[in-house]
Amino acid sequence: YRTICRGRTVSAMVVHLEPGIPSGMQVMWYCMGSPCVGVFMPVYANVSEIPGPYLTGEGPEDPSGYDEGSAWWVYKMLQVSVDEDYCGRQPPVREMWDGVYAAASSEVEEVKSVLLALYGDGKAAEARRLMDEVVEARLMGCYESALKMVNGLMDKEPAESVEKDKTLVYLGLAGVLLVIGGLLLSYIMKVGKS
């Protein structure tokens, strides 16, 4: 049994099909990356276009190919950065995304009645423009939030790494003290024989 919240999860999607709703209004909740470190964003089935950062991204699987102009790379780097100190970094990232998701869910519900009215009045093109605006705003807002988090996390050393560094320093000092103690003991033994 494996959850979808794994470092190797590239993306996840939940499609919300509602009976009685025009097919173009059906919402796909898309998460780029692992859902434990990402956010499900609303994308309407009838959307005309997707923002540029979500259409770019190439390079090796390792972070050396990082391109902050690519949403894929930004979400991948967020995952990598959180994985460096999962217990310390995942909770604040999750808390931030939970707020973003709650706002997006609320907006989708609020926009639903407006879209239904537009479809009912035969204004499908106007409904599509509204859906495009919602998707553009949500996807770009999430991308910008992820980019800001990545830049903040890349400046911080993981707590675990700092603790390991401290341990190595202490072990190094202990080793130096042992060597000095050994030399001192050797000197005392030499002086005692004379």
Side-chain angles (χ1 to χ4, degrees), residues 137-158:
R138 283 293 162 189
L139 292 183
M140 287 306 293
C142 289
Y143 163 70
E144 289 161 4
S145 293
L147 184 58
K148 187 175 179 180
M149 280 190 287
V150 167
N151 289 335
L153 291 175
M154 288 172 78
D155 293 340
K156 294 180 186 173
E157 254 192 81

Side-chain angles (χ1 to χ4, degrees), residues 88-173:
R89 293 179 174 178
Q90 192 271 348
V93 168
R94 179 76 269 137
E95 183 180 344
M96 193 276 298
W97 283 140
D98 287 347
V100 169
Y101 175 76
S105 293
S106 184
E107 182 180 33
V108 165
E109 283 304 310
E110 290 170 16
V111 169
K112 184 191 294 184
S113 58
V114 175
L115 291 173
L116 285 171
L118 289 171
Y119 271 105
D121 293 342
K123 298 178 181 176
E126 201 173 320
R128 177 181 265 178
R129 272 193 299 281
L130 178 57
M131 287 185 278
D132 286 347
E133 289 171 13
V134 169
V135 170
E136 169 87 16
R138 283 293 162 189
L139 292 183
M140 287 306 293
C142 289
Y143 163 70
E144 289 161 4
S145 293
L147 184 58
K148 187 175 179 180
M149 280 190 287
V150 167
N151 289 335
L153 291 175
M154 288 172 78
D155 293 340
K156 294 180 186 173
E157 254 192 81
E160 187 178 292
S161 172
V162 171
E163 287 304 314
K164 283 181 187 173
D165 290 346
K166 283 182 185 175
T167 302
L168 290 175
V169 168
Y170 293 140
L171 286 173
L173 285 173

Side-chain angles (χ1 to χ4, degrees), residues 2-13 30-38 40 61 72 75-80 83:
R2 293 186 344 178
T3 72
I4 60 172
C5 285
R6 302 194 43 94
R8 291 182 284 180
T9 300
V10 176
S11 66
M13 182 173 66
Y30 179 66
C31 177
M32 194 168 264
S34 169
C36 289
V37 179
F40 282 93
E61 274 293 308
W72 185 86
Y75 289 104
K76 168 103 173 146
M77 189 57 74
L78 179 60
Q79 176 72 51
V80 169
D83 284 348

